[in-house]
C-alpha cells in the first residue's frame, strides 16, 4: 500500500504542476490555443481529484508540491514567457513540461510495486494525458 500512496502522490504533484504551469501562461494566450490549454487544465484537475479520492480511500497522506519547486517553475515560466510570449514558444514550453512529466511518471511507476488496479489505471491515464498533450501542442509550434 505504501507504493500505491507514493504513486498517487506523484500523480497529484504532477497534475498540480501541470495545472499551475498552464495557469502561468494562460494570460498570454487566446483563441483555439487558449481553449486547448484550458481543456488540458481541466483534465489535470480531474486526475488530481481522482488521486485525492484514491489516496483518502487507502488512508494515505496527501503530499503537495514543495514551495521551492513551485516558485522555481513559476519564475522560469514567467521569464521565458516575458522573453517570448508567442504561441509557438508557449507550446514548446508545454511540450517540455509534459515530456518531463512522462519521464518522471515512468520512473515512478517502475519503482513502485503497486497493488491496487485503480491506482495503476490512474497512472496510465496520466501518462496517456501527458502524451496526448504533447501531440496537441505540436500543432501550435
Amino acid at each position: 500500500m505504501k507504493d500505491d500512496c507514493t504513486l498517487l502522490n506523484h500523480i497529484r504533484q504532477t497534475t498540480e504542476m501541470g495545472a499551475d504551469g498552464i495557469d502561468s501562461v494562460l494570460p498570454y494566450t487566446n483563441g483555439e490555443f487558449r481553449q486547448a490549454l484550458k481543456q488540458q487544465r481541466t483534465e489535470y484537475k480531474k486526475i488530481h481529484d481522482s488521486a485525492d479520492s484514491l489516496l483518502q480511500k487507502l488512508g494515505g497522506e496527501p503530499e503537495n508540491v514543495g514551495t521551492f519547486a513551485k516558485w522555481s517553475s513559476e519564475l522560469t515560466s514567467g521569464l521565458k514567457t516575458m522573453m517570448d510570449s508567442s504561441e509557438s514558444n508557449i507550446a514548446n514550453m508545454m511540450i517540455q513540461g509534459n515530456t518531463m512529466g512522462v519521464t518522471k511518471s515512468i520512473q515512478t511507476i517502475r519503482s513502485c510495486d503497486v497493488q491496487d488496479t485503480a491506482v495503476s489505471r490512474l497512472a496510465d491515464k496520466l501518462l496517456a494525458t501527458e502524451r496526448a498533450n504533447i501531440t496537441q501542442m505540436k500543432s501550435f509550434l
Side-chain angles (χ1 to χ4, degrees):
M1 181 182 89
K2 178 179 181 270
D3 282 351
D4 292 6
C5 292
T6 298
L7 184 54
L8 287 169
N9 272 308
H10 165 77
I11 293 168
R12 288 181 79 259
Q13 292 170 357
T14 299
T15 55
E16 184 179 337
M17 288 294 286
D20 288 351
I22 290 169
D23 286 341
S24 73
V25 300
L26 214 49
Y28 302 94
T29 64
N30 55 48
E32 186 181 329
F33 185 51
R34 183 179 184 85
Q35 287 310 114
L37 290 172
K38 283 183 167 183
Q39 177 270 323
Q40 288 181 11
R41 184 181 59 191
T42 298
E43 189 62 27
Y44 278 138
K45 290 185 186 251
K46 286 179 187 175
I47 295 170
H48 186 277
D49 291 347
S50 295
D52 269 348
S53 295
L54 284 169
L55 196 59
Q56 185 176 14
K57 177 183 161 192
L58 295 175
E61 287 294 319
E63 297 171 12
N64 295 319
V65 175
T67 305
F68 181 75
K70 263 189 167 181
W71 176 80
S72 175
S73 176
E74 288 172 10
L75 180 64
T76 302
S77 292
L79 289 172
K80 285 183 178 181
T81 307
M82 277 196 297
M83 291 172 51
D84 179 0
S85 62
S86 69
E87 195 172 89
S88 178
N89 184 56
I90 294 172
N92 186 48
M93 290 168 46
M94 295 295 106
I95 290 169
Q96 288 175 5
N98 280 283
T99 301
M100 287 190 315
V102 168
T103 302
K104 184 69 174 158
S105 291
I106 291 170
Q107 290 171 334
T108 304
I109 290 166
R110 288 183 179 165
S111 71
C112 291
D113 181 25
V114 174
Q115 302 298 312
D116 190 316
T117 57
V119 175
S120 293
R121 281 195 305 270
L122 189 60
D124 289 342
K125 182 175 183 175
L126 174 60
L127 277 174
T129 298
E130 297 269 39
R131 289 176 175 142
N133 291 351
I134 291 167
T135 299
Q136 185 181 41
M137 287 294 107
K138 285 179 182 179
S139 67
F140 297 102
L141 290 175

